Amino acid sequence: MARTTGSHSDITGPRIQEAALRLFAQHGYAAVSMRQIAREVGVQAGALYNYTPDKQSLLFGLMQDHMRALLATWAAQPQGRDAGAVLEAFTRFHIRFHLERPDEVFIAYMELRNLTPENHAAISDLRGRYEDALEAILKRGVAAGLFDVADTKIATRAVIAMLNGVNTWYRADGRLSQTEVETTYWDMVRKAVAPA
Amino acid sequence: MARTTGSHSDITGPRIQEAALRLFAQHGYAAVSMRQIAREVGVQAGALYNYTPDKQSLLFGLMQDHMRALLATWAAQPQGRDAGAVLEAFTRFHIRFHLERPDEVFIAYMELRNLTPENHAAISDLRGRYEDALEAILKRGVAAGLFDVADTKIATRAVIAMLNGVNTWYRADGRLSQTEVETTYWDMVRKAVAPA
DNA sequence: GTTTTTTCTGAACATACGTTCAGATAACGT
DNA sequence: ACGTTATCTGAACGTATGTTCAGAAAAAAC
């Protein structure tokens, strides 16, 4: 046999990405074989190489797509008036965006060490830009006397780490709605950066 | 050849654990082979099986030792008077303890999915106990009117996630001392749980 | 209806994996 | 000095890995 009925690049391509995403998130990049991904798609392992030059590119593509989508979506978000409003928007946006993409988030944070140095640098750069976006908000707020933090760089990382934590425990069928979670976290973020 | 000069269980055993710890942290459990660990120790792969029944037990042992040490060390910590003092002690203890063991911490958070279900449950239980220790502090503070958080469970996870973030960026030769970092984080934690 | 292009199979490549075990040697107990 | 035990080697087991590629068949182009 060779080409099967109903085979199409537009279908197989995305399906490979979806399968790789799910399997990488579940078992880890190193523990997933190309044959497992292929089986999930319903294809032989060799066919994957019509869509990716190698396994590493598959991982890098997923992470890059995720980080770019994160930056682009935040950039397209309506901006508030003062720094306080923008920080609230950022907090709620971050939680919402990340809860919608648990697998992408998991991979983006766990599989950095499996990237080649060049790819690692590229993803780190994108992550740096996202952190810069938050730090700019904090700096604005500090300058306006709305916020008081000892170190904007540390505060940036602390806030992001805190918000990222949501993904490790939130379940859609849990006792709290997503909006309630957003509000609870915004409450803590707001107080953490507020003047004493 | 067989047994080499100067070979000893008391020496090889710990060296295997150290090598596994470092390699697992650097490359990930799935990406590290028993032969790599053996090479690091200066021994053949077969010799590892005098010290561990299999690779999985090696990982589990490292994680279990770490979590037990974490719980025991916190339990042995001098307890403060009011909930505020205890929370500060917890914050500083957590940062200090985790910065002293970056590899253990990394593994304990990244390799959970590579544990068998039984081992996973055991580690999750230990982690749950640590979270409970913090939540008890928060509850005490809320009851005493010292703290104000919407949800102690969420606040617990938020604080731990925030503090864990330190390990991802702190470098001993950076611009901030460990004590300065502790104080900066304690400042944010204190405000985050403070009454409005 | 014929040719060209796209998509896939199936086998193969060299290499690596976790684990086992008989046998060899060093250290220890007496 | 000798026997026993602890420790390690080196080879082997079956299985899996990422990747390549000639060839086959379906789809698209004409």
Side-chain angles (χ1 to χ4, degrees):
Chain A
M1 277 193 287
R3 189 170 183 178
T4 58
T5 51
S7 71
H8 267 305
S9 181
D10 351 355
I11 297 175
T12 308
R15 286 193 54 193
I16 290 174
Q17 297 208 54
E18 288 159 23
L21 179 70
R22 214 169 43 74
L23 290 171
F24 287 165
Q26 192 159 15
H27 307 291
Y29 173 77
V32 173
S33 72
M34 295 299 268
R35 283 171 180 82
Q36 276 179 63
I37 299 171
R39 193 187 316 131
E40 200 86 358
V41 177
V43 101
Q44 293 296 318
L48 302 183
Y49 291 85
N50 290 321
Y51 302 91
T52 182
D54 45 39
K55 195 185 174 190
Q56 165 77 201
S57 304
L58 204 45
L59 174 63
F60 177 63
L62 292 172
M63 295 176 74
Q64 193 177 42
D65 288 354
H66 171 66
M67 291 308 298
R68 284 183 173 162
L70 175 65
L71 286 168
T73 310
W74 168 246
Q77 215 73 6
Q79 294 295 319
R81 302 152 305 281
D82 61 308
V86 181
L87 184 58
E88 176 171 5
F90 182 93
T91 300
R92 294 185 183 275
F93 160 79
H94 184 99
I95 292 176
R96 205 176 324 120
F97 190 89
H98 283 64
L99 282 184
E100 277 166 4
R101 296 161 180 78
D103 287 346
E104 283 90 339
V105 171
F106 204 70
I107 289 175
Y109 276 84
M110 303 277 277
E111 303 295 355
L112 274 170
R113 62 180 163 192
N114 287 311
L115 292 175
T116 62
E118 298 79 20
N119 289 344
H120 189 286
I123 300 298
S124 291
D125 175 69
L126 291 172
R127 171 158 321 167
R129 285 195 231 169
Y130 187 64
E131 289 182 3
D132 289 346
L134 173 55
E135 194 182 3
I137 300 169
L138 294 181
K139 280 179 175 167
R140 247 185 76 191
V142 169
L146 292 169
F147 304 155
D148 178 19
V149 293
D151 188 304
T152 55
K153 201 118 212 139
I154 291 188
T156 297
R157 284 159 171 161
V159 168
I160 288 182
M162 182 170 129
L163 298 180
N164 280 343
V166 180
N167 270 63
T168 65
W169 59 265
Y170 181 83
R171 297 295 170 260
D173 57 355
R175 65 179 225 276
L176 290 168
S177 74
Q178 208 179 98
T179 309
E180 288 172 323
V181 173
E182 283 175 26
T183 303
T184 305
Y185 272 83
W186 163 235
D187 213 49
M188 289 187 286
V189 170
R190 179 178 52 75
K191 290 196 290 179
V193 303
Chain B
M1 276 190 288
R3 187 169 185 178
T4 59
T5 49
S7 68
H8 267 305
S9 181
D10 351 353
I11 296 176
T12 307
R15 288 193 53 192
I16 290 174
Q17 296 208 56
E18 288 158 23
L21 179 69
R22 216 168 42 75
L23 290 172
F24 287 166
Q26 190 160 15
H27 308 291
Y29 173 76
V32 173
S33 72
M34 295 299 268
R35 284 172 180 83
Q36 277 178 63
I37 298 171
R39 193 185 318 131
E40 201 84 359
V41 177
V43 103
Q44 292 296 317
L48 302 184
Y49 292 84
N50 289 323
Y51 302 92
T52 181
D54 45 40
K55 194 185 173 189
Q56 166 75 202
S57 304
L58 204 45
L59 174 63
F60 177 64
L62 292 172
M63 295 176 73
Q64 193 178 44
D65 288 352
H66 170 67
M67 291 307 298
R68 284 182 173 163
L70 174 66
L71 286 168
T73 310
W74 168 245
Q77 215 73 5
Q79 295 295 317
R81 302 150 304 282
D82 59 310
V86 181
L87 184 57
E88 175 171 4
F90 183 92
T91 300
R92 294 185 182 276
F93 160 79
H94 184 98
I95 292 176
R96 203 175 327 120
F97 190 89
H98 282 65
L99 282 183
E100 278 167 5
R101 298 161 178 79
D103 286 347
E104 284 90 339
V105 171
F106 203 70
I107 288 175
Y109 276 84
M110 303 277 277
E111 304 295 355
L112 274 170
R113 62 180 164 191
N114 286 311
L115 292 174
T116 62
E118 298 79 20
N119 289 345
H120 189 287
I123 299 297
S124 292
D125 175 67
L126 290 173
R127 172 159 320 168
R129 283 195 234 170
Y130 187 64
E131 289 182 2
D132 289 346
L134 173 54
E135 193 182 5
I137 300 169
L138 294 181
K139 279 179 174 166
R140 246 185 76 191
V142 168
L146 291 170
F147 304 156
D148 179 19
V149 292
D151 189 302
T152 55
K153 202 121 213 139
I154 291 188
T156 297
R157 284 159 170 161
V159 168
I160 288 181
M162 183 171 128
L163 298 181
N164 280 343
V166 180
N167 270 62
T168 65
W169 60 264
Y170 182 82
R171 298 294 169 261
D173 57 355
R175 64 180 225 277
L176 291 169
S177 75
Q178 208 178 99
T179 309
E180 287 172 324
V181 172
E182 284 176 25
T183 303
T184 304
Y185 272 84
W186 163 235
D187 212 48
M188 290 187 285
V189 169
R190 180 179 51 75
K191 291 197 289 179
V193 303

